[in-house]
Amino acid sequence: MKDMNEFLQMEEKIVKILKTVYDPEIPVDIYELGLIYNIDVKDGDVTIDMTLTAPSCPAGDFLIEDVQQKVQSGEGVKSVKVNLVFEPEWTKERMSEGALLELGML
């Protein structure tokens, strides 16, 4: 059970870090926007599956680099790999209630 607890604590720290990454065009962090599909942590190696609001998003490279740099600086993180995925396609239904409220969509 110790390993699971450590995984959850590490995942929680990574989520906090991801909530500091913002799409420059939208005043909501990428986690609340629903752009993070999966976080996998194994022995300090972090793999994140994320998407963009649109495949042609001009901020895509910036966001990926920001995620890599910020997560890499996290305590206990040895390496970070960010996979950009477009399946399933992102829709506004993936957004948190807070994000919808912030953007006036509720």
Side-chain angles (χ1 to χ4, degrees), residues 24-89:
E25 298 174 356
I26 305 170
V28 176
D29 69 78
I30 63 169
Y31 191 82
E32 297 297 325
L33 276 175
L35 299 183
I36 303 300
Y37 284 2
N38 189 46
I39 300 168
D40 188 40
V41 182
K42 192 173 200 170
D43 300 324
D45 297 318
V46 179
T47 304
I48 298 171
D49 292 344
M50 69 174 282
T51 194
L52 303 171
T53 53
S56 60
C57 176
D61 290 341
F62 166 80
L63 289 173
I64 292 168
E65 193 173 310
D66 204 21
V67 166
Q68 283 180 313
Q69 287 180 349
K70 287 183 175 176
V71 173
Q72 183 69 53
S73 70
E75 185 182 331
V77 175
K78 292 181 196 166
S79 71
V80 179
K81 180 178 182 195
V82 178
N83 297 318
L84 189 58
V85 296
F86 293 103
E87 303 248 337
E89 186 176 336

